[in-house]
């Protein structure tokens, strides 16, 4: 299994510094809903400390955790792809401190600085590929377990 890709450490220094000019620090208390599936994806975060659970609503009253993120992880990628709506919900599992980025400001800087834009898109793509690999592994594990139980 490959190691998780961290957005800020994966970007070349010059591009990272330019991106960080757009960051501002935010915090979320434990149990705070950060965003809901279907909502407008107009920002993203890099988690500095704490933990966030990504979830999917499966019934009117039940959410299922589909992923967990921690320090250094990118929270939110839907801002980069049409239709710019969140695919999952996100909730602070503990007190969370993060760098927040306004998507429109980041996209505008990417137009001005194509190297930053290319670096950012490549890094987000690597992060998504890694998360897909992890999810695939979990699904195969669950399948193996359920087959062992005769389900």
């Amino acid at each position: 299994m490959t190691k998780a890709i961290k957005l800020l450490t994966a970007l070349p220094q010059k591009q990272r510094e330019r991106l960080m000019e757009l960051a501002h620090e935010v915090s979320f208390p434990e149990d705070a809903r950060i965003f809901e599936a279907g909502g407008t994806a107009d920002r993203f975060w890099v988690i500095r400390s704490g933990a966030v659970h990504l979830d999917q609503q499966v019934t009117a009253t039940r959410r299922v955790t589909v992923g967990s993120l921690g320090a250094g992880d990118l929270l939110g990628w839907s801002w980069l792809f049409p239709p710019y709506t969140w695919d999952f919900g996100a909730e602070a599992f503990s007190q969370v401190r993060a760098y927040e980025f306004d998507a429109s400001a980041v996209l505008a800087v990417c137009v001005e600085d194509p190297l930053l834009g290319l670096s950012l898109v490549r890094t987000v793509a690597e992060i998504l590929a890694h998360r897909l690999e992890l999810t695939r592994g979990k699904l195969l594990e669950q399948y193996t377990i359920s087959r062992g139980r005769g389900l």
Side-chain angles (χ1 to χ4, degrees):
M1 187 87 39
T2 59
K3 185 178 177 193
I5 297 109
K6 306 295 184 180
L7 178 69
L8 295 180
T9 56
L11 287 173
Q13 183 177 348
K14 184 177 179 181
Q15 282 81 32
R16 179 175 55 248
E17 289 171 358
R18 181 67 179 108
L19 182 64
M20 289 305 295
E21 291 173 6
L22 303 173
H24 69 275
E25 294 184 30
V26 296
S27 63
F28 301 99
E30 183 176 351
D31 297 329
R33 291 298 294 171
I34 301 170
F35 55 83
E36 295 288 349
T40 302
D42 59 357
R43 63 196 66 249
F44 65 96
W45 301 264
V46 173
I47 300 169
R48 296 181 61 216
S49 64
V52 173
H53 285 180
L54 300 175
D55 56 45
Q56 187 70 57
Q57 192 84 34
V58 292
T59 69
T61 59
R62 184 165 182 255
R63 290 185 176 108
V64 173
T65 298
V66 295
S68 297
L69 304 174
D73 286 332
L74 170 67
L75 172 59
W77 51 264
S78 298
W79 60 275
L80 195 52
F81 306 102
Y84 310 108
T85 57
W86 300 118
D87 289 319
F88 303 102
E91 185 170 315
F93 184 69
S94 64
Q95 171 77 26
V96 172
R97 291 181 8 180
Y99 294 116
E100 183 176 85
F101 299 86
D102 177 86
S104 60
V106 171
L107 291 171
V109 168
C110 289
V111 169
E112 293 171 16
D113 183 351
L115 282 176
L116 172 59
L118 180 60
S119 294
L120 186 60
V121 168
R122 280 186 172 167
T123 302
V124 171
E126 287 180 41
I127 290 167
L128 293 177
H130 175 74
R131 290 184 187 170
L132 183 58
E133 179 183 326
L134 290 175
T135 301
R136 181 178 167 273
K138 288 178 185 176
L139 287 171
L140 288 173
E141 180 181 316
Q142 289 300 314
Y143 175 76
T144 302
I145 291 168
S146 67
R147 296 242 333 153
R149 293 183 188 151
L151 300 175

